[in-house]
Amino acid sequence: METVNWIHISDLHYGCKEGVPTKEFRADAIPYLMEYYKEINQKPKYIFVTGDIVYPKNNNNISGSYKNALEFIESMAKELEIDKKNIFVVPGNHDVSCQENDERYVAAKKVRESGNYNYKFGQVQASCIEQWKKLKPTKEYQFFYEQLYGRPYEPNHEMISRQNDNIDILCIDTSMVSIGSKYDSGKLLIGTNELWDLVGTSKRERPLMILGHHPISFLLSSEQNYLEKLLVRQDVIAYLYGHTHYLGFEVPCTYRFRNNQNAKSFDAVCCPTHMGEEDIGRLSTMIGLVTGTYDIESQTGEVVFHIWSEENGGERFSYPIGRKSESVISIVEKTNKTIKEKFEKYGKSNSEETNSLLSDYILFIFKDCMKEINYMLRTELFAIREDLYQTRVEEKQNDIRGKNDVLEKNLGEKKGYDDKVNVKQLTKSNENRRTELDE
């Protein structure tokens, strides 16, 4: 059995005012992971870091923050015996400059202005190519990248396809035109035309793992559509992202292509954050990381969310990925079973934080249950609609053919008839029918 094992961390926020929970997590995470992998008798091969390496606000030593983050990541790789070349990082919105007088910020605003990006073709207009080239992370992030990989920063997106690997990895810079979190949702651009050239439209030989900082829903709607349509052509393991500071999934992205009854989908998995003092008190924010495993042959796997709370270091919530369609009944039964197990384990706790975590998790799996059912029903309704559409088309074509035959018969009976106006009307009507049939 050929499997892929990985660790997913995100939103490290080095340089943010760190409270005790964050310090505790950073101290315990690596020993915890060593024990965890010893317990399940597996070894991780990859570390995926999906952006926001540092927190620049009120940070007078951004270079030092990147240095601390690099030490944490490299130490994790060393202790878990992960080759440094198997560490993959993408920038987040805190890794790009959002200062109004900064060259990148000015370029990003220019590209986002109406008319400067061709939404239909997924690429910047010729007049803004120079601004597009300026959309790079901060010089501190680029130095961090060079220290990690030993080579200059490669802008935008990168496809990693190595001969001895059993997966390909696509790193997407979703923060290219970010100008601040509150201005980004539903407005981000990534240049999907460039991505199509990078990935290729033909199916790749190996499954594909995609890394980005933002949820796909943060992209402009046309960019979302083009990206999802590209990725569902491949065997995608998952899209791993961060930014929201909360464990969870986006609705599985699914498309059913014409004349193809097999729905293709992939999961979008969010990693919790390593937070600072500013996040304490926000129930939606969680401290933790994600581990994942994927079986290449069966195309199934599992992600495990490891959450740090006041009472528990590394509380685990697992979820399958690459799963096949399930019935509504099986989804509900699985959800009920999970909720019951968690209540039996933590339902009697008097800890406010544990109860809050339990409530958040139950809400999460309930919402996910609804997403699964909604996704399944939408897929089935789409298939029904396609079948109904095809039936109606055939019925209309047969009706038009019948009327066309009558018209041709009428034309034949008009031979020798002197009223040319009526003949012209019949001929025109016949041509209209033929045009309608062709359409």
Side-chain angles (χ1 to χ4, degrees):
M1 182 172 67
E2 190 177 12
T3 59
V4 181
N5 295 303
W6 68 88
I7 299 167
H8 176 199
I9 55 178
S10 191
D11 297 75
L12 307 179
H13 292 167
Y14 273 88
C16 186
K17 292 182 179 179
E18 300 161 1
V20 172
T22 302
K23 293 175 179 177
E24 182 182 24
F25 171 80
R26 289 178 178 161
D28 294 346
I30 295 174
Y32 167 83
L33 284 171
M34 294 172 65
E35 187 64 28
Y36 169 72
Y37 279 106
K38 182 179 179 181
E39 177 186 325
I40 64 174
N41 195 28
Q42 293 181 6
K43 285 189 176 181
K45 183 175 181 179
Y46 300 99
I47 296 176
F48 300 130
V49 188
T50 54
D52 277 4
I53 312 301
V54 303
Y55 189 81
K57 187 177 180 180
N58 299 323
N59 187 344
N60 297 320
N61 188 13
I62 294 179
S63 296
S65 297
Y66 275 111
K67 181 181 178 182
N68 293 336
L70 182 63
E71 290 176 356
F72 176 77
I73 294 168
E74 289 185 332
S75 178
M76 180 179 289
K78 181 180 178 181
E79 296 299 328
L80 291 164
E81 299 180 346
I82 297 173
D83 195 317
K84 192 174 177 180
K85 70 179 182 181
N86 289 333
I87 302 172
F88 295 94
V89 180
V90 293
N93 55 290
H94 288 315
D95 300 310
V96 300
S97 174
C98 288
Q99 300 295 324
E100 291 190 5
N101 59 346
D102 183 80
E103 184 180 52
R104 190 217 70 89
Y105 181 86
V106 173
K109 289 199 72 173
K110 183 70 174 176
V111 169
R112 286 171 59 152
E113 288 178 3
S114 177
N116 290 334
Y117 188 84
N118 191 324
Y119 309 114
K120 197 170 184 179
F121 294 100
Q123 61 188 27
V124 70
Q125 300 283 25
S127 59
C128 274
I129 289 178
E130 290 305 312
Q131 281 80 7
W132 187 259
K133 292 178 181 178
K134 296 175 182 177
L135 301 178
K136 299 179 181 180
T138 61
K139 61 181 182 180
E140 290 88 356
Y141 177 88
Q142 293 185 51
F143 183 73
F144 160 82
Y145 182 98
E146 291 176 14
Q147 292 291 105
L148 180 61
Y149 294 114
R151 65 176 187 269
Y153 173 74
E154 299 176 13
N156 302 345
H157 320 304
E158 185 179 8
M159 170 64 78
I160 299 93
S161 183
R162 302 180 299 205
Q163 187 174 355
N164 296 326
D165 283 353
N166 48 11
I167 64 170
D168 291 340
I169 299 166
L170 174 63
C171 296
I172 301 176
D173 182 359
T174 62
S175 300
M176 292 176 64
V177 299
S178 172
I179 58 174
S181 294
K182 62 181 179 180
Y183 305 110
D184 288 344
S185 183
K187 297 179 181 179
L188 295 181
L189 307 169
I190 55 175
T192 43
N193 192 29
E194 179 184 336
L195 272 179
W196 275 69
D197 292 339
L198 189 63
V199 178
T201 54
S202 59
K203 185 175 178 180
R204 306 184 72 81
E205 295 180 359
R206 293 181 289 241
L208 183 65
M209 180 73 83
I210 310 107
L211 313 181
H213 177 65
H214 294 88
I216 293 176
S217 58
F218 267 61
L219 303 181
L220 193 75
S221 58
S222 59
E223 296 283 90
Q224 291 182 44
N225 292 337
Y226 286 152
L227 175 63
E228 291 171 357
K229 285 180 179 179
L230 169 63
L231 298 182
V232 296
R233 293 172 182 268
Q234 310 297 329
D235 287 332
V236 176
I237 299 173
Y239 172 72
L240 306 183
Y241 67 99
H243 189 68
T244 62
H245 305 174
Y246 189 63
L247 65 84
F249 291 79
E250 285 197 290
V251 177
C253 310
T254 182
Y255 282 87
R256 188 186 292 274
F257 294 103
R258 208 160 195 171
N259 301 322
N260 182 359
Q261 293 303 308
N262 296 317
K264 298 182 178 181
S265 66
F266 61 91
D267 292 294
V269 184
C270 180
C271 181
T273 181
H274 300 191
M275 68 184 184
E277 283 181 357
E278 64 160 22
D279 288 315
I280 294 177
R282 285 174 54 190
L283 292 179
S284 62
T285 297
M286 293 183 174
I287 304 178
L289 53 80
V290 180
T291 59
T293 184
Y294 186 80
D295 177 46
I296 302 293
E297 185 176 349
S298 67
Q299 297 184 336
T300 58
E302 181 183 63
V303 290
V304 180
F305 299 97
H306 305 260
I307 307 300
W308 266 250
S309 66
E310 183 180 310
E311 293 184 348
N312 300 290
E315 176 63 18
R316 302 170 192 172
F317 305 129
S318 61
Y319 196 89
I321 59 173
R323 58 200 179 285
K324 299 184 183 297
S325 298
E326 297 178 275
S327 69
V328 172
I329 294 176
S330 66
I331 293 171
V332 173
E333 286 179 346
K334 180 178 69 176
T335 302
N336 286 338
K337 181 181 178 182
T338 306
I339 292 174
K340 184 178 179 181
E341 288 174 351
K342 293 301 175 183
F343 261 121
E344 288 176 350
K345 188 173 183 180
Y346 297 109
K348 297 180 181 179
S349 172
N350 293 320
S351 166
E352 183 179 344
E353 183 173 351
T354 301
N355 287 334
S356 173
L357 181 62
L358 179 62
S359 299
D360 282 353
Y361 178 67
I362 290 171
L363 180 62
F364 157 66
I365 58 177
F366 176 75
K367 285 182 177 179
D368 196 71
C369 172
M370 293 300 101
K371 285 194 301 184
E372 281 288 314
I373 294 172
N374 180 52
Y375 157 68
M376 185 185 66
L377 292 179
R378 282 174 58 194
T379 302
E380 293 302 319
L381 286 172
F382 190 93
I384 293 170
R385 188 179 68 179
E386 284 286 290
D387 293 340
L388 183 60
Y389 169 78
Q390 191 63 35
T391 302
R392 287 180 176 175
V393 167
E394 291 173 358
E395 289 176 351
K396 189 173 183 180
Q397 287 176 338
N398 291 334
D399 181 55
I400 292 172
R401 288 192 184 98
K403 292 178 180 178
N404 187 57
D405 292 340
V406 172
L407 286 169
E408 288 181 344
K409 182 179 179 182
N410 290 340
L411 279 174
E413 293 175 353
K414 293 297 179 181
K415 288 181 181 179
Y417 189 64
D418 294 329
D419 193 348
K420 295 182 179 179
V421 175
N422 289 339
V423 173
K424 286 181 179 179
Q425 288 176 344
L426 286 168
T427 303
K428 186 176 180 181
S429 177
N430 189 41
E431 289 174 352
N432 290 340
R433 293 291 182 187
R434 287 185 179 277
T435 302
E436 190 178 359
L437 180 62
D438 290 339
E439 291 177 349

